[in-house]
Amino acid sequence: MTGKLLLATILCLMGGQALGDAVLEGNYNVTAVCTAVTVGTQLGSLESCQTYYVCKSTGPEKASCQTGYSYDYKRSSCYPSSEVACYWGVENPCGGRNHTWVPNTAVCGGWYYCLEGESAGSGKCPSNQKFDASLACCAYGSCATTESSDGVVLDDLCDVVPPGQYFGDTVDCTTWHNCESTSTGIVLRTGQCTNQIYNALTGQCAYSTTNACSRVTGIPLSDGAVSCTTNGAKTPDATECGKYYVCTNKINVATYCDTGYYFDVKSSTCVARQVAVPEEGCNRCQYATTKFVNAVDSDNCSTYYYCNQEGQAALNTCPDDTFFDETVQGCTSDENLTTYVKNNGACYGATASGSEETTASTE
């Protein structure tokens, strides 16, 4: 009986902590994230590279590294500061760096250019991009839109949650997230349990139990969450062709198509990359096997991207009276456009000058 009372007390504390005073660092709700991970998980801090949080059953507990050491959230431990790429609360983020870029943690998507250990300039990534510290450049991705009042901005939950860590959500009990390590950096993946709930205590999909969903308070893990009105509605991501959002409990939850598939705006389903009609402006270098690919162009199919090794895209345009053909990796005569459009969704609706509108098959 004593054991049951103790378990009930712990569960009540876990449910209550999310409703009480939250530990906040700018737009980063540390308490909310702690309710979504397994007990014992360590999270990075935005206040200082020396501090971090240990998620206990009663909420986040702050801890610090010894002098000269910084916390590496990717390895969940403290290491000599020279070995850790951390910029939170650092007086001079350019210290010891030359001819490279580092993030400006006070600005969403912000950066500094470092020259001989000092900042030689600063700026902000273009729309639909964020600064990726591991790549030292701007990369396609969503950046939180809310700038904090205390000088720190969390661009991505995977900047504080360790890679390989599955965690739940505070707006829907079936949803799980995972910070997955890829060749181009750490990417936030999102999915849902089938006919089950995600149990943050065990880190697995399971059948619902008492208080297993107490973390679902409606308080988003960060205030970059986007609200929506119609549950079940799907909307494409503006930058990643293979990503879309499902409205769940009035919050848009990120969802990903399988590798090689894009979200098709005509059918609102995931379709093979080449025939999918993706959102205009999304990066079609994603899953590409060639260096040059069509940009989404329903006008005349003349714009295309050059894809570098990191999957980043540089926009180009074909000369007049030509369109870009991925199969030949170059610009070709408009006389072949009608046939090309039928099997290449990126050019859905594109027509040559003076011709009638052409539609593409998405089957």
Side-chain angles (χ1 to χ4, degrees), residues 17-333:
Q17 58 144 330
L19 299 174
D21 294 335
V23 176
L24 299 173
E25 293 186 352
N27 64 325
Y28 170 30
N29 190 325
V30 186
T31 301
V33 177
C34 262
T35 66
V37 299
T38 55
V39 173
T41 297
Q42 295 179 184
L43 303 174
S45 168
L46 308 188
E47 293 183 346
S48 168
C49 288
Q50 280 193 297
T51 59
Y52 60 98
Y53 292 93
V54 180
C55 292
K56 302 294 185 69
S57 60
T58 52
E61 184 176 290
K62 200 168 189 177
S64 299
C65 300
Q66 65 190 81
T67 302
Y69 281 64
S70 293
Y71 182 72
D72 187 339
Y73 82 99
K74 296 178 182 178
R75 294 182 284 179
S76 297
S77 188
C78 297
Y79 291 87
S81 296
S82 60
E83 300 177 10
V84 181
C86 181
Y87 305 94
W88 305 111
V90 176
E91 184 175 350
N92 178 21
C94 282
R97 295 173 172 83
N98 190 30
H99 293 295
T100 190
W101 288 262
V102 298
N104 175 359
T105 59
V107 177
C108 187
W111 51 262
Y112 295 110
Y113 179 68
C114 302
L115 189 63
E116 297 181 351
E118 298 292 338
S119 172
S122 63
K124 186 176 181 180
C125 294
S127 176
N128 297 329
Q129 294 188 29
K130 63 180 181 179
F131 188 84
D132 190 314
S134 62
L135 300 175
C137 66
C138 294
Y140 279 91
S142 301
C143 184
T145 56
T146 303
E147 304 216 355
S148 70
S149 59
D150 61 359
V152 290
V153 175
L154 179 63
D155 287 353
D156 192 317
L157 285 169
C158 291
D159 289 339
V160 290
V161 178
Q165 172 74 53
Y166 282 85
F167 55 102
D169 198 85
T170 50
V171 296
D172 177 58
C173 200
T174 67
T175 298
W176 55 260
H177 306 282
N178 175 38
C179 292
E180 179 184 338
S181 294
T182 70
S183 58
T184 57
I186 301 174
V187 178
L188 180 66
R189 302 297 190 193
T190 298
Q192 290 183 305
C193 299
T194 303
N195 300 322
Q196 292 182 322
I197 57 96
Y198 181 81
N199 191 324
L201 291 173
T202 63
Q204 297 176 330
C205 290
Y207 292 108
S208 182
T209 58
T210 303
N211 286 323
C213 294
S214 60
R215 69 177 183 276
V216 179
T217 60
I219 301 171
L221 298 178
S222 71
D223 63 9
V226 179
S227 62
C228 52
T229 56
T230 305
N231 282 331
K234 299 177 181 179
T235 54
D237 184 76
T239 59
E240 292 186 57
C241 301
K243 177 181 178 182
Y244 62 101
Y245 300 90
V246 179
C247 186
T248 306
N249 292 334
K250 303 304 176 68
I251 295 293
N252 269 330
V253 176
T255 309
Y256 292 83
C257 297
D258 291 338
T259 300
Y261 285 71
Y262 285 169
F263 182 75
D264 182 87
V265 298
K266 306 296 290 185
S267 63
S268 293
T269 60
C270 292
V271 174
R273 175 188 178 275
Q274 206 64 35
V275 297
V277 181
E279 176 74 358
E280 184 176 358
C282 74
N283 178 18
R284 287 193 77 257
C285 287
Q286 184 184 26
Y287 307 139
T289 57
T290 57
K291 287 187 177 181
F292 297 93
V293 301
N294 288 102
V296 180
D297 184 354
S298 61
D299 181 19
N300 55 15
C301 196
S302 65
T303 55
Y304 65 99
Y305 290 125
Y306 165 72
C307 307
N308 66 15
Q309 292 181 342
E310 285 76 37
Q312 297 164 327
L315 189 65
N316 298 278
T317 304
C318 289
D320 291 343
D321 300 322
T322 65
F323 73 95
F324 185 78
D325 186 332
E326 280 192 24
T327 59
V328 300
Q329 288 290 281
C331 300
T332 188
S333 172

